[in-house]
Amino acid sequence: MSTQPNLGNINTDYPGQPGLQRNTGRLLATQGYVLGIEISSSGARQSVALADLNGQVLYQLRRPLEYVPDTETVLSLLNEMIAEATQPERLPKGRLLRIGIAVGGLVEATQGIVRTLYHAQQWNNFPLQDYFAEKLDVPCIIDNNANAAGLGEVLHGAGQGERVVLYIGLGRGIGGGLIVNGRIFHGASGTAGEIGHTLVKENGPECSCGGAGHLEAIASARSIIHSMRNLAQEYPESLAAIERITRGQPENLTAEQVFQLGAEGDKIAQQVVQQVHTYLGGALANIVQLINPSMIILGGPVAQAGDLLIEPLRQRIQELCLPAASQSLRIVQGHLGNEANLVGAITLALQDI
Ligand SMILES: [Zn+2]
């Protein structure tokens, strides 16, 4: 358990169109609380946060699972965590008004259904929104974690005031969210922004979804680390560099460290990083050409590489796009770091009040 910094007053009003109609209805509330929940597809992050109506996190807890989670395991764990976070003494000024959930899988947000949680069991078409709404007798909103993180970044992170934002979460997988006028753009069936499973390389490496040559299979944290380890096997200098940067624990190699090794001159790391810039840059350039965002926000562990990731990406996008599409584009690292999904979940709940 840890307490989190005050996120400041979160203004969920946003100039522009009203956006998608959610199905819980709205209420005028001045007192009460919301709950943000994060569910990851790897099991590594199950988080619950209690926040006030200004978005200030009052209590937060996170419990990782060692394995890929099925619904029963995750829901019983979350129910315990929710019970702890919502003990009556933590809610002196009213009741719980909304629950927002950021899910690391495909979500049909308008129906409140989890379509798929890759590699996890029993999640296909699971009615998660109804489950918690009935269990806790509180309206619940669910969405994909990249959509939620993007919303969080736009409303109180790196993208404040931006009207058309593409958020890319570069983690174990790659997720994306499109936030237009302060609202998540879902597309016809909720998969808008799923950039991770776009084809970028014919006959490329196998993807977690079963496809091949998808962006996620090249530019996710897992793919970057996997490529570096595999390619380094033939090169003692690179193996030694991995040993050095991980202080003798090569199993803990991070994507950020691969970027650092590349910057330090390691030829194998440079090759891996070059692939990321080539294919991620190409994928982003196509989206920039199509939707003309004012900002791309990069989040997740790969974005920790900062300018080592962003500067070459910026150059590649400028090269590939018409100047009119890219000249005012800003590409930035997210401000919410590891908490982006959870803050996004809280924002989902607050935006519905
Ligand atoms: Zn895929």
Side-chain angles (χ1 to χ4, degrees), residues 118 196-198 207-212 214-217:
Y118 289 121
H197 302 288
T198 50
C207 183
S208 65
C209 71
H214 293 177
L215 182 62
E216 181 167 306

Side-chain angles (χ1 to χ4, degrees), residues 2-12 32-36 49-60 90 93 156 342-343 346-347 350:
S2 65
T3 53
Q4 288 299 305
N6 187 350
L7 296 167
N9 288 338
I10 295 175
N11 180 6
T12 56
Y33 302 88
V34 298
L35 209 54
L50 178 73
D52 65 18
L53 298 187
N54 292 320
Q56 184 177 349
V57 175
L58 305 170
Y59 189 82
Q60 179 180 333
R90 300 195 207 286
K93 292 183 185 168
H156 43 267
L342 191 56
V343 172
I346 294 167
T347 312
L350 288 172

